[in-house]
């Protein structure tokens, strides 16, 4: 009797927090979606420490910082915004951190952490003043549909590259057993999704992993659990060891400005893309609780810098959980819990092969590409900017660049064809800022 009451209390608590019935979902679906999201982005636990170690940072410490910052930011997203979106140190931003700020500009990784910390504080300010929210709202619906499709193409392209199906812009080695494993996984995933199998994406990840390990194509996990968690001390709060003169230098301004631009539009693209895919947009095409979602992102970046990692941002791989049926913050909370558990089950999570997650990412790309049907291709002042947006994302390897060129082309075409009434002042201001950015920073 007590167990039954406890179960009801738990269900009632989760219902009150995440409003599961209102979103037409349940605990099982949300948890499965959260696991799927984690499985598709667990690679960041390996890749991020590897990249930042090139800047001289302790790899074990960065692993801990990566897991903790991802968990904290994702918890905030789940509780504050009630969205099924997970966050972690972003790819591209970590490369800029290590390669550009440290290796090219010649600054210490502590300097780079301070740049990330300042970026996070500025984002918190911009979020509280609703400026970031206004940027999302000013983007026309045609471009929002293009962003969703573009994110889908980007995700699929990442999957193709990770699996070596595409190598340096050309077809990879079709005789490679790992490529064949991915293609087989693609068929399995596609068949499960086509049959509307519950948990299709997660099942496919497990199946492909087991087959790959069984055939000896990928390594078996080096154990299941490890209590020897690396120390966070070598990177914790190291941003504050930077000299005051470096903090107020021109290079710091350039580093922070670049991080702001890239992170802002990567986050906007991810939020718009996954929200549209998950039918989370309101009747005006805006994202409800966008302020809370942006705040979670900003808190994640600031916290990540304190813990000792590069910019934390919303992950496009969250679309895999949404594709699995995730609709609320309970999906995010589940993913966050798994990031915490990864500190102790790292050998198991790290053993998930790229081939398994790549197949899922490609299928998720197919799901998101459906937004192309909603774009107005009859009006070229809508069609061209939309095309530029979803084409540039995979070609430039950047969601942010796709949005920037989409907004620029939309604004210029509308003004040049005497359709000024279809362009709001925010789009014009953003376009001017983009042009200034290209002139000053390239």
């Amino acid at each position: 009797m007590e167990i039954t009451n406890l179960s009801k209390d738990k269900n009632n608590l989760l219902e009150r927090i995440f409003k599961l019935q209102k979103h037409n979902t349940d605990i099982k679906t949300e948890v499965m979606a959260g696991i799927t999201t984690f499985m598709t982005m667990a690679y960041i636990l390996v890749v991020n420490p590897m990249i930042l170690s090139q800047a001289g940072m302790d790899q074990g410490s960065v692993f801990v910082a990566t897991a903790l910052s991802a968990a904290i930011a994702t918890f905030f997203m789940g509780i504050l915004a009630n969205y099924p979106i997970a966050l972690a140190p972003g790819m591209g931003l970590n490369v800029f951190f290590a390669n550009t700020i440290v290796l090219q500009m010649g600054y210490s990784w502590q300097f780079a952490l301070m740049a990330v910390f300042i970026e996070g504080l500025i984002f918190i300010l911009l979020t509280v003043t609703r400026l970031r929210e206004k940027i999302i709202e000013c983007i026309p619906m045609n471009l929002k549909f293009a962003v969703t499709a573009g994110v889908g193409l980007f995700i699929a392209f990442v999957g193709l590259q990770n699996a070596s199906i595409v190598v340096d812009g050309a077809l990879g080695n079709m005789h490679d057993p790992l490529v064949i494993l991915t293609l087989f996984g693609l068929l399995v995933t596609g068949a499960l999704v086509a049959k509307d199998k519950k948990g299709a994406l997660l099942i496919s990840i497990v199946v492909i992993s087991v087959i790959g390990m069984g055939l000896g194509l990928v390594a078996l996990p080096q154990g299941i659990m490890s209590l020897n968690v690396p120390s966070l001390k070598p990177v914790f709060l190291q941003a504050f060891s930077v000299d005051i003169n470096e903090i107020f230098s021109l290079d710091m301004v350039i580093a922070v400005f670049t991080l702001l631009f890239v992170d802002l539009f990567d986050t906007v693209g991810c939020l718009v893309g996954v929200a549209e895919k998950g039918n989370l947009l309101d009747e005006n095409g805006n994202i409800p609780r966008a302020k809370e979602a942006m705040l979670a992102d900003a808190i994640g970046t600031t916290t990540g810098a304190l813990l000792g990692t590069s910019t934390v941002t919303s992950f496009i791989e969250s679309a895999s959980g949404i594709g699995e049926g995730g609709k609320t913050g309970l999906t995010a909370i589940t993913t966050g819990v798994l990031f915490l558990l990864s500190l102790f089950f790292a050998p198991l999570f790290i053993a998930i092969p790229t081939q398994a997650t790549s197949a899922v990412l490609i299928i998720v790309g197919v799901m998101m590409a459906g937004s192309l049907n909603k774009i107005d291709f009859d009006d070229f002042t809508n069609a061209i900017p939309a095309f530029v947006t979803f084409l540039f994302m995979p070609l430039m390897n950047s969601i942010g660049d796709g949005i920037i060129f989409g907004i620029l082309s939309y604004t210029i075409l509308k003004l040049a064809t005497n359709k000024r009434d279809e362009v709001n002042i925010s789009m014009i201001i953003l376009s001017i800022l983009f042009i200034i950015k290209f002139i000053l920073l390239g």
Side-chain angles (χ1 to χ4, degrees):
M1 185 70 176
E2 289 183 5
I3 295 177
T4 303
N5 289 335
L6 284 173
S7 178
K8 287 182 178 179
D9 289 342
K10 180 187 72 173
N11 291 343
N12 290 336
L13 177 62
L14 294 177
E15 175 61 38
R16 287 198 302 271
I17 296 174
F18 301 110
K19 299 177 176 58
L20 302 177
Q21 291 184 11
K22 177 182 176 182
H23 291 89
N24 194 29
T25 185
D26 53 54
I27 295 174
K28 181 181 177 181
T29 299
E30 296 293 303
V31 170
M32 291 286 282
I35 295 173
T36 302
T37 295
F38 175 79
M39 298 282 265
T40 57
M41 60 186 289
Y43 70 86
I44 199 65
L45 294 169
V46 180
V47 177
N48 193 56
M50 180 185 68
I51 291 174
L52 297 193
S53 68
Q54 298 170 6
M57 301 179 73
D58 181 82
Q59 195 162 344
S61 300
V62 175
F63 166 78
V64 177
T66 301
L68 289 178
S69 62
I72 292 170
T74 304
F75 286 150
F76 271 105
M77 179 67 76
I79 297 297
L80 291 180
N82 195 24
Y83 281 143
I85 297 173
L87 302 92
M91 288 298 297
L93 290 161
N94 51 11
V95 174
F96 177 77
F97 179 105
N99 290 2
T100 303
I101 299 179
V102 178
L103 298 180
Q104 292 182 23
M105 294 175 68
Y107 281 94
S108 66
W109 55 265
Q110 291 90 341
F111 175 94
L113 284 177
M114 177 54 73
V116 174
F117 179 71
I118 294 172
E119 175 209 357
L121 292 180
I122 294 174
F123 267 158
I124 290 176
L125 178 62
L126 294 178
T127 303
V128 171
T129 57
R130 293 186 176 273
L131 185 57
R132 295 176 80 188
E133 187 176 352
K134 295 297 181 185
I135 291 175
I136 294 179
E137 292 177 357
C138 80
I139 298 175
M141 279 307 301
N142 264 284
L143 286 188
K144 286 179 178 175
F145 294 140
V147 166
T148 304
V151 169
L153 292 176
F154 184 78
I155 290 175
F157 188 61
V158 168
L160 291 168
Q161 285 187 313
N162 288 349
S164 296
I165 296 175
V166 172
V167 179
D168 296 329
L171 185 65
N173 180 9
M174 291 294 104
H175 295 287
D176 185 339
L178 292 176
V179 172
I180 295 173
L181 176 63
T182 306
L183 293 174
F184 174 75
L186 195 57
L187 292 174
V188 171
T189 310
L192 290 171
V193 170
K195 289 184 176 182
D196 200 22
K197 179 72 174 178
K198 201 72 171 177
L201 301 181
L202 180 57
I203 291 171
S204 69
I205 290 174
V206 174
V207 169
I208 299 165
S209 299
V210 171
I211 291 175
M213 293 174 186
L215 294 176
L217 298 177
V218 297
L220 290 167
Q222 300 300 309
I224 296 177
M225 185 177 182
S226 174
L227 298 178
N228 296 320
V229 180
S231 171
L232 190 63
K233 187 176 180 181
V235 297
F236 183 62
L237 297 181
Q238 288 301 304
F240 297 108
S241 65
V242 177
D243 185 90
I244 189 70
N245 292 323
E246 290 184 341
I247 295 176
F248 292 99
S249 66
L250 177 60
D251 280 339
M252 179 63 80
V253 173
I254 293 174
V256 171
F257 185 75
T258 304
L259 285 169
L260 279 169
F261 247 92
V262 175
D263 189 21
L264 173 60
F265 291 99
D266 272 2
T267 302
V268 169
C270 176
L271 287 177
V272 171
V274 298
E276 203 279 324
K277 168 60 186 172
N279 296 317
L280 302 175
L281 300 179
D282 62 22
E283 61 275 8
N284 297 316
N286 297 321
I287 302 176
R289 305 181 303 283
K291 178 182 177 181
E292 290 80 358
M294 291 288 192
L295 185 59
D297 182 271
I299 291 172
T301 292
T302 309
T303 304
L306 296 176
L307 291 171
T309 186
S310 52
T311 303
V312 173
T313 187
S314 301
F315 257 58
I316 55 175
E317 284 82 356
S318 302
S320 63
I322 290 176
E324 200 64 84
K327 296 179 180 179
T328 75
L330 182 55
T331 292
I333 296 298
T334 302
T335 304
V337 169
L338 290 175
F339 269 115
L340 288 181
L341 289 177
S342 69
L343 293 171
F344 304 101
F345 291 89
L348 182 61
F349 290 132
I350 290 172
I352 301 168
T354 300
Q355 291 69 31
T357 56
S358 294
V360 168
L361 292 179
I362 294 167
I363 294 299
V364 170
V366 175
M367 295 175 177
M368 301 187 73
S371 293
L372 290 173
N373 292 328
K374 303 175 184 178
I375 297 173
D376 176 17
F377 282 106
D378 294 327
D379 183 342
F380 278 102
T381 62
N382 289 326
I384 293 173
F387 182 80
V388 167
T389 300
F390 66 72
L391 181 67
F392 277 29
M393 287 184 184
L395 290 183
M396 294 186 170
N397 202 33
S398 169
I399 294 173
D401 283 344
I403 295 175
I404 287 172
F405 281 101
I407 290 176
L408 266 175
S409 57
Y410 181 91
T411 304
I412 293 172
L413 279 172
K414 291 294 184 181
L415 293 178
T417 54
N418 297 320
K419 295 184 177 181
R420 169 68 183 82
D421 56 321
E422 297 182 31
V423 185
N424 58 56
I425 188 64
S426 299
M427 293 283 283
I428 296 174
I429 293 173
L430 282 175
S431 297
I432 293 172
L433 290 175
F434 295 153
I435 293 171
I436 293 173
K437 184 253 185 186
F438 289 131
I439 292 173
L440 295 180
L441 300 178

